[in-house]
Amino acid sequence: DGGITQSPKYLFRKEGQNVTLSCEQNLNHDAMYWYRQDPGQGLRLIYYSQIVNDFQKGDIAEGYSVSREKKESFPLTVTSAQKNPTAFYLCASATVTEAFFGQGTRLTVV
Amino acid sequence: GQNIDQPTEMTATEGAIVQINCTYQTSGFNGLFWYQQHAGEAPTFLSYNVLDGLEEKGRFSSFLSRSKGYSYLLLKELQMKDSASYLCAVRNTGFQKLVFGTGTRLLVSP
């Protein structure tokens, strides 16, 4: 069963803690993306990667970090430097002609 | 950079046809994507255009004019379940950055 898996669906953390969101795909897609969505807003690009061991900053990369050690995996770390981390985080993977999203992770920082 | 504009909200009646527009400015165009997003859920891929013209998929069609930086999503025979946000995204060449517009919220009424 091919697809993109984000886990967990809901995540709660205390302020000041780093947290890592998982994104795994078995679609053999080269490109992977991380977005953030706030209530009633559009998707904003955090980081993206075209190949293993290489990634680019998106429009709102401050306070986030990523790695791309395997083609299938693109984890996102939300660091304590991110001022407003509470949001809906979406991971996508893409080929030339299509791009699919995982189910998303709702992160709440209290 | 990339700039993508969509109307914020639209309303339509069940059974009707609605056209959702998207205009964009980008350096190095490499494809335009349309998504549907129901409240609280991840976006679902609808269509991809890279050449000028109309792509049809059942009740949904998408049109692209690269020279005008313009696309539209056409929804026919509207159903209540089509009430959702519709997101336009543009990919550029090089590192394949994929950026989203703020989305159009469509409300279908009986």
Side-chain angles (χ1 to χ4, degrees), chain A:
Chain A
D1 189 18
I4 306 169
T5 302
Q6 288 187 245
S7 60
K9 191 171 182 180
Y10 298 95
L11 190 55
F12 295 87
R13 279 293 182 270
K14 290 185 178 178
E15 195 171 336
Q17 291 181 334
N18 291 356
V19 60
T20 298
L21 311 185
S22 169
C23 179
E24 303 278 333
Q25 55 100 359
N26 60 6
L27 300 169
N28 200 33
H29 287 174
D30 287 317
M32 296 189 75
Y33 302 83
W34 273 107
Y35 296 89
R36 167 184 174 137
Q37 188 173 38
D38 294 288
Q41 305 296 313
L43 275 63
R44 292 187 289 167
L45 181 63
I46 305 172
Y47 269 98
Y48 58 110
S49 168
Q50 288 302 305
I51 56 173
V52 173
N53 293 324
D54 190 39
F55 47 82
Q56 311 298 320
K57 290 183 179 180
D59 299 319
I60 57 164
E62 186 176 349
Y64 299 97
S65 65
V66 293
S67 62
R68 187 89 187 272
E69 296 176 1
K70 299 186 299 182
K71 187 175 185 177
E72 302 78 18
S73 179
F74 192 39
L76 173 75
T77 297
V78 184
T79 75
S80 56
Q82 168 50 234
K83 291 187 170 63
N84 296 296
T86 294
F88 186 35
Y89 289 89
L90 289 156
C91 176
S93 70
T95 62
V96 173
T97 58
E98 57 193 15
F100 299 117
F101 281 87
Q103 66 176 0
T105 293
R106 291 196 181 277
L107 173 66
T108 301
V109 175
V110 296

Side-chain angles (χ1 to χ4, degrees), chain B residues 10-25:
Chain B
M10 299 182 71
T11 58
T13 306
E14 198 174 11
I17 300 172
V18 70
Q19 177 176 310
I20 301 174
N21 295 327
C22 171
T23 58
Y24 65 88
Q25 295 172 320

